[in-house]
Amino acid sequence: MIKRVLLLLSFLFVALFAEPFSKMATVEPVLVQKGDKKMWCSVCGMNLKMFYKTSYIAGDKQYCSVRCLVADDMKNHNIDFDKVKVIDAKTQKPILAKDAIFVVGSDVKGTMSRVSKLAFSNEADAKEFIKAHGGRLATFDEVLKMAKETLKKDSKMVMMKKQKMMYPMGKKILAKKCNSADDINLSQFKAINELKAYIKDNNICKNIKEKQLQAVALYLWDNKRAKSDEKNLKIEISQKDRCPVCGMFVYKYPKWTAQIVYKSGERLSFDGVKDMMKFYFDREKYGKYENLTRDKISDIIVTDYYSQKPIDGTKAYYVIGSDVNGPMGEELIPFKTEDEAKTFLQDHHGKKIIKFSEIAPDYLK
């Protein structure tokens, strides 16, 4: 009994007098991204110096957290995890993540996640951290698995915070302190950190701090950019329209309908994305379409699986290899947003998410 009391008192002493842990860099941070965008996470825009001790490096990209690392891989599928580096939470030096010892579930708040995941180059440092902050030891493989399994919940948590606090703040600051924001061509930026660098370098917003800059960038990136990308797309089908690839009447399958619209006004209708892309890659195989070259295409329209609304097929996200079949069997399932595609992927055992530019004939068999 006495031993238990003493043990409890020792834990309380450590909790009360242990120095609070900060994720912020206390040395000159290693930032690998090029140009002015290097200060921010390439996925969420968070300041890498502020969240340096939970940051990761993959090639020429840097992320504030393992959550953003995994989210980017889910989107682009090009990360070699054997080469990924993570910042040692004690030495603040980049180390190979696969060789690191991780502490998960400590009293330190997670970065873009409910559960913190901190890396150390050796087990002794990790155990010393556990004595002060709790948690348990884990490998990089375990951390990756955890991040992938909780990605949907963590993304929902992040979105709720954005909607409750960051979007309203960004909208308010944009109206009061930012000039020429309406003139920004948001389509020129490939990632949110590029947008943040542009806003700062061009002095778009006067006298704003980092959190305010993040709020403005998030509001522009997640809301304004999405709205500016939207077109008044319509799928017009008659009962006479047949799919040029399989010959089926397209009006019977409104849930799956896709169209290629040409500048001349001509429309070709398909009973699914798969048949549309077969035509896109080899149109002359299906009839006398040699004059309908790709440079004459005005719009490629697909039907969003969840909303059943027409969306721009060139900007959609496609899930392949799921347990949901279309009229012609295994299908490329289109979604307007990546988050919706991720949800479907997890719910329906999909193999991967691809963009329009990544669709290849091998996916259409």
Side-chain angles (χ1 to χ4, degrees), residues 103-358:
V103 175
V104 300
S106 70
D107 61 9
V108 177
K109 288 181 65 176
T111 304
M112 304 295 285
S113 172
R114 290 177 172 84
V115 179
S116 61
K117 307 165 187 72
L118 293 152
F120 298 87
S121 57
N122 62 73
E123 191 171 324
D125 288 344
K127 287 183 176 179
E128 181 183 348
F129 180 86
I130 289 174
K131 286 181 181 179
H133 299 282
R136 64 176 178 83
L137 298 178
T139 65
F140 184 45
D141 285 341
E142 290 172 319
V143 166
L144 280 178
K145 182 181 178 183
M146 184 184 302
K148 290 175 182 178
E149 289 175 346
T150 62
L151 182 62
K152 181 180 176 182
K153 289 183 179 179
D154 288 338
S155 296
K156 187 177 290 187
M157 175 193 72
V158 170
M159 180 55 69
M160 287 177 66
K161 288 182 178 179
K162 287 180 183 179
Q163 292 173 340
K164 185 176 181 179
M165 182 174 67
M166 298 303 282
Y167 293 159
M169 182 193 298
K171 185 178 181 180
K172 185 177 180 180
I173 295 168
L174 199 62
K176 287 188 174 183
K177 295 188 175 183
C178 304
N179 300 320
S180 306
D182 291 337
D183 298 330
I184 300 175
N185 177 15
L186 296 171
S187 64
Q188 68 182 296
F189 307 111
K190 295 180 180 179
I192 189 172
N193 56 355
E194 295 180 6
L195 172 60
K196 286 188 76 171
Y198 181 88
I199 294 170
K200 186 173 182 179
D201 292 347
N202 290 276
N203 203 24
I204 301 295
C205 301
K206 309 295 182 183
N207 301 319
I208 62 172
K209 298 179 180 179
E210 173 61 31
K211 187 173 182 179
Q212 295 173 314
L213 174 60
Q214 176 70 359
V216 169
L218 283 172
Y219 178 72
L220 289 173
W221 187 256
D222 292 348
N223 290 279
K224 291 285 189 179
R225 184 178 65 107
K227 290 179 181 178
S228 67
D229 285 347
E230 290 179 355
K231 291 183 179 180
N232 186 22
L233 298 174
K234 293 182 180 180
I235 293 180
E236 299 174 354
I237 302 293
S238 76
Q239 292 193 356
K240 295 180 180 179
D241 289 340
R242 288 177 179 267
C243 173
V245 174
C246 68
M248 296 204 298
F249 286 106
V250 177
Y251 80 92
K252 293 182 178 181
Y253 309 99
K255 185 176 180 179
W256 303 97
T257 305
Q259 280 192 333
I260 297 178
V261 183
Y262 293 89
K263 295 174 182 177
S264 64
E266 183 175 357
R267 291 174 177 255
L268 292 180
S269 304
F270 305 85
D271 55 4
V273 173
K274 183 169 72 173
D275 276 3
M276 180 185 73
M277 294 310 299
K278 286 180 178 180
F279 182 90
Y280 180 83
F281 286 121
D282 192 9
R283 65 186 183 281
E284 293 183 43
K285 179 179 178 180
Y286 304 104
K288 296 181 179 181
Y289 298 107
E290 61 273 8
N291 292 328
L292 296 181
T293 53
R294 293 183 190 176
D295 62 305
K296 295 180 180 178
I297 294 175
S298 171
D299 292 303
I300 292 178
I301 311 172
V302 298
T303 304
D304 180 275
Y305 183 81
Y306 282 148
S307 71
Q308 291 296 289
K309 293 180 179 179
I311 58 174
D312 187 340
T314 65
K315 297 177 181 177
Y317 296 89
Y318 299 88
V319 176
I320 61 174
S322 74
D323 57 13
V324 174
N325 288 333
M328 297 299 291
E330 190 170 319
E331 187 57 88
L332 286 78
I333 315 294
F335 299 89
K336 182 176 180 179
T337 70
E338 186 182 4
D339 285 342
E340 290 173 337
K342 288 175 183 176
T343 298
F344 180 89
L345 180 89
Q346 294 175 358
D347 291 346
H348 294 281
H349 312 292
K351 292 180 180 177
K352 64 190 298 187
I353 298 170
I354 59 175
K355 295 180 179 179
F356 182 83
S357 60
E358 298 170 319

